[in-house]
Amino acid sequence: GNSVTQMEGPVTLSEEAFLTINCTYTATGYPSLFWYVQYPGEGLQLLLKATKADDKGSNKGFEATYRKETTSFHLEKGSVQVSDSAVYFCALAQGGSEKLVFGKGTKLTVNP
Amino acid sequence: NAGVTQTPKFQVLKTGQSMTLQCAQDMNHEYMSWYRQDPGMGLRLIHYSVGAGITDQGEVPNGYNVSRSTTEDFPLRLLSAAPSQTSVYFCASSYASGEETQYFGPGTRLLVL
């Protein structure tokens, strides 16, 4: 079945550090890939998405590229801020479906 | 637009009690779903619906019932609560057009004693 594996946290960084959160997936066909973010005490919000191979999703300084050859969708940001402290979830949706399969989440803490 | 709303925010139940978690959206979305979030497990799909009158099971449906009598509402029912159902529950909605962005509610935290 479909699955998503993301790096385990927690991840603690200093402000302005470079961030990478790894995400790999297993799926049949060509899924769409997503990163969702959950700020403390809130629901999930879509951060970015990519729907086909080599697409790059970007938002709020975060980027992720859909790599079919390595079945990966790693999240990166060049300079994190304290306000980026949250839990980040990688997810996929199989072609034509709205059903999301989530990774376990990675908690990021950014210290001033 | 209020988006996706969920009530209550927090609930404590005793084992064997029943309750309904409410979810409503005002975006005219066809697709609605329920997830539970447990530490170290990510979010897991409980039930989903692609339109009024249509529901189906997700990954972890046991112990939960749903119905979809209107486009706006998608309640989740626990008929006989168990401690294993202690979790945070999220409702989500989207247009049913394939991999459309899903909008999540703020969540309901449930504690079953």
Side-chain angles (χ1 to χ4, degrees):
Chain A
N2 299 336
S3 66
V4 174
T5 302
Q6 60 182 106
M7 66 184 284
E8 295 193 15
V11 174
T12 302
L13 296 173
S14 298
E15 207 164 23
E16 299 184 2
F18 184 84
L19 169 70
T20 299
I21 301 178
N22 290 338
C23 171
T24 58
Y25 67 90
T26 302
T28 54
Y30 303 100
S32 290
L33 301 173
F34 305 82
W35 277 101
Y36 279 83
V37 59
Q38 183 180 29
Y39 297 104
E42 298 184 10
L44 278 72
Q45 304 173 25
L46 179 69
L47 181 59
L48 53 85
K49 70 178 183 181
T51 58
K52 60 182 186 296
D54 299 325
D55 269 2
K56 177 186 283 188
S58 61
N59 185 27
K60 299 182 180 180
F62 291 89
E63 292 184 340
T65 301
Y66 189 145
R67 300 286 188 200
K68 181 172 176 293
E69 62 277 11
T70 55
T71 62
S72 65
F73 193 55
H74 304 322
L75 182 69
E76 296 182 337
K77 187 174 185 181
S79 177
V80 294
Q81 306 300 313
V82 172
S83 57
D84 293 327
S85 298
V87 181
Y88 293 82
F89 292 93
C90 185
L92 69 81
Q94 196 62 55
S97 169
E98 280 73 28
K99 289 192 287 184
L100 288 169
V101 176
F102 284 90
K104 294 183 179 181
T106 302
K107 183 176 182 180
L108 170 67
T109 300
V110 181
N111 294 319
Chain B
N1 283 351
V4 180
T5 58
Q6 292 184 237
T7 56
K9 286 188 183 344
F10 179 69
Q11 182 73 46
V12 179
L13 291 179
K14 295 181 180 178
T15 297
Q17 286 185 314
S18 64
M19 80 161 293
T20 299
L21 281 64
Q22 301 292 345
C23 174
Q25 52 88 13
D26 60 359
M27 297 174 281
N28 203 31
H29 286 165
E30 300 100 330
Y31 181 84
M32 296 185 74
S33 56
W34 278 102
Y35 293 87
R36 59 177 290 172
Q37 182 181 26
D38 301 295
M41 299 290 289
L43 278 79
R44 292 180 291 169
L45 182 64
I46 304 171
H47 285 285
Y48 65 97
S49 168
V50 298
I54 306 169
T55 64
D56 206 345
Q57 297 181 350
E59 181 186 355
V60 288
N62 292 342
Y64 307 95
N65 282 346
V66 291
S67 60
R68 184 94 180 271
S69 56
T70 67
T71 300
E72 294 79 17
D73 300 299
F74 190 44
L76 179 72
R77 297 184 184 86
L78 285 70
L79 297 180
S80 179
S84 61
Q85 294 177 304
T86 293
S87 188
V88 181
Y89 292 86
F90 289 100
C91 180
S93 74
S94 71
Y95 291 109
S97 58
E99 299 122 22
E100 190 60 62
T101 298
Q102 291 200 34
Y103 295 85
F104 283 79
T108 294
R109 186 175 296 273
L110 177 66
L111 174 63
V112 182
L113 301 175

